[in-house]
Amino acid sequence: HYEQMGEIEPAIDNYVKSNTHSREVPRMLYKNGLFDRLEQFVEERQEPDIFKWWAQYNESKNDLEEALNYYQHGKLPKRN
């Protein structure tokens, strides 16, 4: 609902509450060209699945050093 209305922050909150944020938030932010907000989200969450998504994104841009950095972060255990 929020996403279709262009209300990004409430949409992020709802995806987090529904535990679908690791896929839905990167998809939404990428689709809307909000790359700075996407990077901020990756750093805020500190979750292996999101690190992996960001690593793959960087790899697709041929930023291999950044991709490797986030692939390594993705191996960290999940925070509680």
Side-chain angles (χ1 to χ4, degrees), residues 2-18:
Y2 287 116
E3 182 178 351
Q4 284 110 4
M5 295 176 58
E7 296 183 30
I8 300 301
E9 293 306 318
I12 290 172
D13 291 341
N14 279 350
Y15 285 132
V16 169
K17 288 176 186 174
S18 67

Side-chain angles (χ1 to χ4, degrees), residues 33-47:
L34 300 171
F35 303 110
D36 289 341
R37 181 62 180 99
L38 177 51
E39 185 172 14
Q40 179 185 7
F41 180 77
V42 169
E43 291 301 322
E44 287 171 357
R45 298 303 301 181
Q46 296 282 309
E47 296 178 21

